[in-house]
Amino acid sequence: MSINKDTIVAIFLLLFCGIMINSSFDIEDPGYQGMKASFWPTIVLCLLSIMSLVMLVKSMIASTDINLNSENTNSQNVFLKFKNASICFLMFIIFLGFLDYLGMLIGGVLFVFGLLTLLGGFEIKKIINHLIISIITIGIMWSIFTFGLKVILPEGEILRIW
Amino acid sequence: MIDVILQAFASIVLDPVTLGLMLVGTLAGILAGAIPGFTIAMGVILTLPFTFGMTAIQGLATMLGVFVGGFSGGLMSCMLTGIPGTPSSVATTFDGFPLVRSGRPGLALGLGLWSSFFGGMISAVILVALAPQLAFLGLEFGPWDYFSLIIFALTITVSLSGGNITKGLIAGLLGLFAATVGEDEINGVARFTFGFDEFKQGFAFLPVLIGLFAFSQLLTDVEDDKRAKSPLMSQSGSVVKVEHRQAILIILKRWVNLFRSSFIGIFTGILPAAGGSISNILAYDQAKKASPNRSNFGKGEYDGVIAPEAANNATAGGALIMMMALGIPGDIVTAVMLGALMIHNIIPGPTFIQDEPLLAYGVFIAFFVAHFFMVGLQAFSLRIFLLVTKIPMYVLASVILAYCAIGVFALHNVVFDIWVMFFFGVIGYFMKKLGFPLAPMILGVVLGKLAELNLARASGISDDLLLFISRPWSLFFLLMAVISVIFPFYQEARKDSLFSKFYVPMSMIVLSLPLFLMGSPVRMIVATILVLTGVYFLYKRTSSLKTT
């Protein structure tokens, strides 16, 4: 018997199913005739639980053991492997968090510039290029959506006051 | 009928705005197909936000341009650099690249281009002929049959999306579950909202799709630091003059291969989830088996270029048949198109062609026209492609991530949709890392509400669950679902195993049962053919077992 990534995922999925099945008991029953609102989600969650259980059993009897402490999964390698993705996640959360204040235009330019610089490097020439790219691309997209497609993009507090 | 077709023709061909949009769409598709790391689906998804402000026909025509252009775009990169732009052009590399290396780049590109064109044209004719017929068939479906069809669409997506079937089923079920969040359409009762008002509307389908597919793909593209910083392609091709006339003559001389490959493409397209990535390999394999010059394959054989390119473009028509006739998306691209139709309050289904003839015939005509644009734009797009390949992936990814945010916001003008996209982007990224296929989850999200609605309708009409197996169409789809779930085990089984020998004939015999139950003469004949073929295979395989 072995514990690998699939085992952890299966346990996580089972926990998820447990929470959601428990939450499905709170779904209101208005008393109308026909299928209840909780019926379909319950079926889906039950099937999901069964499949997660199958995955758990399969992962535990699997002959290939992916050792959690192997070289592939040590913390430094994991950090390097997910470094760029983590930067994207973080930048996107910051971008969304400040969207109300900065708006889509300023926020978008800062997001693209920040992401380009963090992913591409900090050399002066590159930074200037990144700034130009972010201003031009977001400027064009913002203009297309605002003037061409008449979408009212978030203006942001800064531009609103200004 | 004729006046509707003429009106549809006018709305596409005589409208300069629609033509212009299609032109831009086709160009964007060719580029999206040509750039490794980008896929046709991603191109169509990224086009979607621009279509919000368009009419339904303009939006669909633009997306069809991207769809058709994308299939042929892949041939540029695979021929000039040996790197397939999309999975749909993998097999083209086998003979296309050697043909270019042997000093015939113009002919190689011409063969690919015109095979794509002819393959697309053949599938367009089949689309026009078959979709209305299939829609008539769809009118026979009751909610039981629809529900079973959706179950089949999901199971075949799982079995064809590759990898672990358990993980595929889990992904599909997660998609179905995601579609249940929010107020249910039947009773209007809030589900899994956990007190958040934003959740009451549920997760809009498009932010989920863009997150799962585009966002997660971009994160994967920038994962490798070195690769993200280097230009998209280390090898770069050069502008070549396409040898149109000679290429057309060669293809027409090999018309059997062209038609066979196109039909393989159409059939693969009709099957849910089996897209161009499968059809191009299948067609190449069949062309190789049928060719007298089998030893030349892999060395620049013309048939080896014609087959995959005709097949992958024909797949587009096949996928559209299912969407137009039954409202069931065959792949991610048609799922996006379905979403685009829903934005315009049009729900595709068996009555779609009857209810919206102008739009339906507009789609047919746009599909034809897009192929002409694809041929006309190839030389121009080749130059742009060579420029784009010099851009590093991190630049493209950063800009497109921002674009995704803007595009998703434009859908309902709410920031919550961007959070949804981000959330599903993160989920999609980790699911991919953990070996879960994303296609079943996407189809689950798209089809979840439809499945629940049909189940509710079925249970509202009758409590009798046996109707799911006593109605012929429902039984047919449920049997197909079971067969498709077993399919991966058949693929993995040893060729000489009992299971492998009896899977196909037994499936044929079993499938004939609902066809017999349908009663109509044509279906009885098809069922008899199925039984006889199945029995013949059984006999052959049993006798081969006895001899060994």
Side-chain angles (χ1 to χ4, degrees), chain A residues 31 37 43-44 88 91 119 135 138-139:
Chain A
I43 290 181
V44 172
C88 293
M91 284 301 292
L119 295 177
I135 291 172
I138 295 297

Side-chain angles (χ1 to χ4, degrees), chain B residues 9 13 19 22-23 26 30 65 68-69 72 113-114 116-118 120-121 124 244 313 364-379:
Chain B
F9 183 81
V13 179
L19 277 183
M22 276 190 76
L23 198 78
T26 313
I30 294 174
V68 171
S72 57
L113 185 62
W114 285 100
S116 298
F117 177 81
F118 289 126
M121 283 293 123
H244 292 284
N313 267 64
F364 296 150
I365 288 161
F367 189 66
F368 271 105
V369 175
H371 281 89
F372 288 93
F373 279 147
M374 179 263 290
V375 171
L377 281 170
Q378 203 77 15

Side-chain angles (χ1 to χ4, degrees), chain A residues 11-151:
Chain A
I11 293 170
F12 172 78
L13 280 168
L14 282 169
L15 276 173
F16 172 79
C17 288
I19 295 167
M20 291 303 159
I21 287 172
N22 185 47
S23 160
S24 72
F25 295 132
D26 298 335
I27 296 173
E28 196 188 327
D29 177 14
Y32 304 143
Q33 255 193 334
M35 201 170 89
K36 284 182 183 172
S38 60
F39 181 71
W40 173 245
T42 310
I43 290 181
V44 172
L45 285 168
C46 288
L47 287 171
L48 189 58
S49 308
I50 294 168
M51 293 318 298
S52 307
L53 208 61
V54 171
M55 187 177 161
L56 180 69
V57 173
K58 274 172 81 174
S59 70
M60 289 178 90
I61 56 172
S63 55
T64 48
D65 178 15
I66 302 162
N67 193 331
L68 291 171
N69 295 318
S70 71
E71 202 188 336
N72 287 332
T73 50
N74 76 35
S75 55
Q76 201 185 352
N77 280 342
V78 168
F79 173 75
L80 283 176
K81 196 177 171 191
F82 294 111
K83 191 190 91 182
N84 284 353
S86 308
I87 290 171
C88 293
F89 292 152
L90 202 69
M91 284 301 292
F92 208 86
I93 291 173
I94 295 171
F95 163 64
L96 281 178
F98 284 92
L99 196 59
D100 286 344
Y101 304 101
L102 298 173
M104 196 62 93
L105 184 61
I106 297 173
V109 169
L110 290 177
F111 168 70
V112 174
F113 173 69
L115 197 55
L116 283 172
T117 309
L118 285 170
L119 295 177
F122 290 88
E123 295 99 24
I124 296 290
K125 197 184 158 192
K126 274 190 174 176
I127 290 177
I128 294 168
N129 276 342
H130 293 160
L131 191 65
I132 295 167
I133 291 168
S134 52
I135 291 172
I136 291 175
T137 53
I138 295 297
I140 291 172
M141 276 189 261
W142 186 84
S143 307
I144 290 173
F145 277 90
T146 307
F147 304 116
L149 300 172
K150 310 281 181 210
V151 175

